[in-house]
Amino acid sequence: MAFSIFGSKKKNSIDDNFERVQEQLDDLERTDDPRNIEKYILDSCEQIVRMTKDIESGRRESRAVSEYLDDIKRIREADDETGRKLKVTAGHINDLLKSRESFRNTPKRLNKEEFRMIDEEREELPGIIERMKENEVYEGRVKKDMYSMEGEKARLEMRRDRLNAEIRLVRNLSIVSLVLFTVLILLSFVINKSTGAGSSLFFSLALFIGALAAAGLYFSGSRLGRTKQSVIRSLNSCISLLNVTRMKYANVKSAVDYNITRYKIESASQLEYMYGLYKSMVEDTETYRKNNLELSIEEDRFKDLLNQLGLNDAAMWTEHIEAFLDDDELKKTEESLTEKLERLKSAISVTRETVKSERDDIDRLMKENDYYVSEVLEIIHSVDRICGLKRNNAYSRKEKK
């Protein structure tokens, strides 16, 4: 239990005071200046007033300590039923205080801005979280489809380019075949003219080969053309679907990004986690409020029980309930207060003796120099009353004059 301790200032002994006054008197005799006498007396009076205030403060604290000791005596003399109620109530108060302290020491899980934001939308937030989760799943699926379509588009473009290359090759072969066929016909014609030999067989063979080559190139070109048209149709369809998918992805990503930016999060899971922290903090706050209400009720009940014992300061004991939970603690408190009271009395006694010494020094100095001022006499009289000192008759005579 913590109580304030009256601290006495360090005082000079009576011999020290006497020697100091004697030195001041020697100086006064050498200078023979009345103002020095007045200054010394006023300085001494100022010191006496400070020490007198210390005495008054010590007496007030001594009375308070005595009252606390009286309270402990009444607590010990309480009947068994009242003592049991005090102990049980003190235990409840102690548990509630620990619970409140535990709540205060709990680290804040959301900052003020996050808590305020979630609190403003606490009704709509579960729906927002659910929609955001759905959007994230849909975003992932659309993104996967978009990547798949982009791959298909690239594959179709590569096939289209390959078909174009094949078609160019067939066209080139057709030109080459036409040139060769023309050369063969001319060659056959030249041979026929120069030799006069019949070349119908050679001509027929060349014509047959040319026809076969032309037919093969024709059918090959037709097939490649049809395949190219099919690939182009598939490519156009893929591009159309890809554009739609990209638009869907852009829309759903925009919705997800809006919530991410708005709530300063990375995903719906984080927002859900923050909402869980918010609910936990709200529950803790409500528990804290109920705890304080119950604590107030228990403290009032505790005060009522203490007031029934007629204690001097029942309210103070509500701050030191540990003394009611442990008999050893109450005993330690009593011993501490007893020691403190002795220290206070000793300090007051020492200060009182120092004041008396200072007062006697002033008295002697005023007598020797016939220096009596009404303000100084009033200070001395006040000190006499406070410290319980006998009034000097010389002062009374001077006051009457």
Side-chain angles (χ1 to χ4, degrees):
M1 181 181 298
F3 294 93
S4 61
I5 298 177
F6 171 69
S8 60
K9 298 179 179 178
K10 182 178 180 181
K11 303 295 189 300
N12 295 325
S13 64
I14 296 176
D15 292 338
D16 292 338
N17 289 326
F18 180 78
E19 291 176 1
R20 180 171 57 81
V21 173
Q22 189 62 47
E23 291 174 357
Q24 295 289 341
L25 289 175
D26 293 342
D27 291 339
L28 291 175
E29 290 174 357
R30 287 194 297 270
T31 58
D32 196 21
D33 187 348
R35 288 179 299 179
N36 289 335
I37 298 174
E38 179 181 356
K39 183 177 182 303
Y40 173 77
I41 291 176
L42 291 179
D43 288 345
S44 298
C45 288
E46 184 178 355
Q47 294 179 19
I48 288 176
V49 169
R50 285 198 300 267
M51 288 186 288
T52 303
K53 289 180 179 178
D54 288 342
I55 292 175
E56 290 179 331
S57 176
R59 285 176 175 172
R60 286 195 299 269
E61 193 161 0
S62 295
R63 286 193 295 271
V65 173
S66 296
E67 289 177 354
Y68 294 148
L69 288 171
D70 290 341
D71 287 348
I72 291 177
K73 183 179 179 181
R74 290 189 177 94
I75 292 171
R76 290 187 180 281
E77 294 175 351
D79 59 84
D80 294 340
E81 180 62 19
T82 302
R84 185 189 66 80
K85 290 181 179 179
L86 282 172
K87 191 167 186 177
V88 171
T89 307
H92 291 165
I93 294 174
N94 187 56
D95 293 339
L96 292 170
L97 288 173
K98 288 181 178 179
S99 177
R100 183 170 67 178
E101 188 65 22
S102 176
F103 175 83
R104 288 176 175 174
N105 293 332
T106 301
K108 299 299 181 182
R109 290 154 286 186
L110 293 176
N111 58 44
K112 292 182 179 179
E113 180 63 24
E114 291 172 338
F115 186 89
R116 181 195 61 78
M117 175 185 63
I118 295 178
D119 185 63
E120 289 177 353
E121 302 184 9
R122 59 185 179 277
E123 300 296 335
E124 298 83 8
L125 205 58
I128 293 174
I129 294 173
E130 189 63 29
R131 286 193 298 274
M132 190 175 177
K133 282 184 175 181
E134 294 175 355
N135 287 338
E136 286 180 345
V137 173
Y138 184 64
E139 178 189 4
R141 186 168 60 249
V142 171
K143 187 176 183 179
K144 182 178 180 181
D145 292 343
M146 184 176 66
Y147 286 160
S148 177
M149 289 181 182
E150 287 178 346
E152 179 65 14
K153 173 176 171 289
R155 186 186 68 80
L156 291 173
E157 287 176 342
M158 290 176 62
R159 188 177 182 191
R160 180 198 60 188
D161 295 340
R162 188 168 58 251
L163 287 172
N164 285 332
E166 291 178 359
I167 290 173
R168 285 193 299 272
L169 178 62
V170 170
R171 185 181 298 114
N172 292 333
L173 289 175
S174 298
I175 295 173
V176 171
S177 297
L178 179 61
V179 171
L180 290 176
F181 184 68
T182 303
V183 170
L184 287 174
I185 292 176
L186 291 174
L187 182 61
S188 176
F189 180 75
V190 170
I191 293 172
N192 187 39
K193 286 292 186 181
S194 60
T195 61
S199 57
S200 57
L201 179 62
F202 180 78
F203 181 78
S204 298
L205 182 60
L207 184 62
F208 178 73
I209 293 173
L212 288 177
L217 291 174
Y218 173 77
F219 287 115
S220 178
S222 298
R223 180 181 60 79
L224 290 174
R226 289 192 301 272
T227 304
K228 178 183 175 182
Q229 292 299 321
S230 175
V231 169
I232 290 175
R233 285 194 298 272
S234 299
L235 179 60
N236 291 336
S237 177
C238 181
I239 292 174
S240 178
L241 290 174
L242 180 59
N243 290 335
V244 173
T245 304
R246 284 174 175 172
M247 185 176 298
K248 290 180 180 180
Y249 177 75
N251 290 335
V252 70
K253 182 171 177 57
S254 176
V256 172
D257 289 345
Y258 171 76
N259 288 327
I260 288 176
T261 303
R262 180 182 183 185
Y263 297 107
K264 298 179 181 178
I265 55 175
E266 296 180 358
S267 64
S269 298
Q270 184 179 357
L271 182 59
E272 185 176 33
Y273 176 72
M274 291 173 62
Y275 182 61
L277 293 180
Y278 165 79
K279 292 193 294 183
S280 177
M281 290 178 68
V282 170
E283 292 174 359
D284 289 345
T285 302
E286 180 62 20
T287 302
Y288 181 74
R289 187 190 66 81
K290 292 180 179 179
N291 183 90
N292 285 342
L293 179 60
E294 187 176 354
L295 179 61
S296 178
I297 294 173
E298 291 294 327
E299 287 180 342
D300 289 341
R301 182 181 294 116
F302 193 67
K303 289 178 184 177
D304 291 340
L305 291 171
L306 293 175
N307 287 328
Q308 293 175 12
L309 300 177
L311 302 186
N312 294 294
D313 189 0
M316 185 280 300
W317 287 103
T318 59
E319 301 176 1
H320 304 282
I321 59 171
E322 63 273 9
F324 296 86
L325 300 174
D326 188 353
D327 292 337
D328 291 338
E329 185 66 27
L330 186 62
K331 184 177 179 180
K332 290 179 182 178
T333 301
E334 185 177 18
E335 292 174 352
S336 176
L337 288 172
T338 302
E339 293 176 359
K340 180 181 178 182
L341 184 60
E342 293 299 323
R343 290 196 302 270
L344 289 171
K345 289 180 178 179
S346 176
I348 292 171
S349 177
V350 171
T351 306
R352 185 175 178 276
E353 290 299 323
T354 304
V355 169
K356 183 178 182 301
S357 175
E358 292 283 344
R359 199 285 310 269
D360 291 343
D361 289 341
I362 294 175
D363 182 18
R364 181 164 56 83
L365 185 59
M366 289 196 302
K367 284 181 181 180
E368 292 176 357
N369 294 275
D370 195 23
Y371 180 85
Y372 293 95
V373 181
S374 60
E375 289 81 5
V376 176
L377 294 176
E378 288 179 3
I379 292 174
I380 297 300
H381 293 163
S382 298
V383 171
D384 289 344
R385 287 193 299 270
I386 293 172
C387 298
L389 302 176
K390 292 184 179 180
R391 193 172 184 181
N392 194 307
N393 292 330
Y395 297 160
S396 300
R397 290 194 298 270
K398 289 298 179 181
E399 287 181 312
K400 290 178 182 179
K401 290 181 180 181

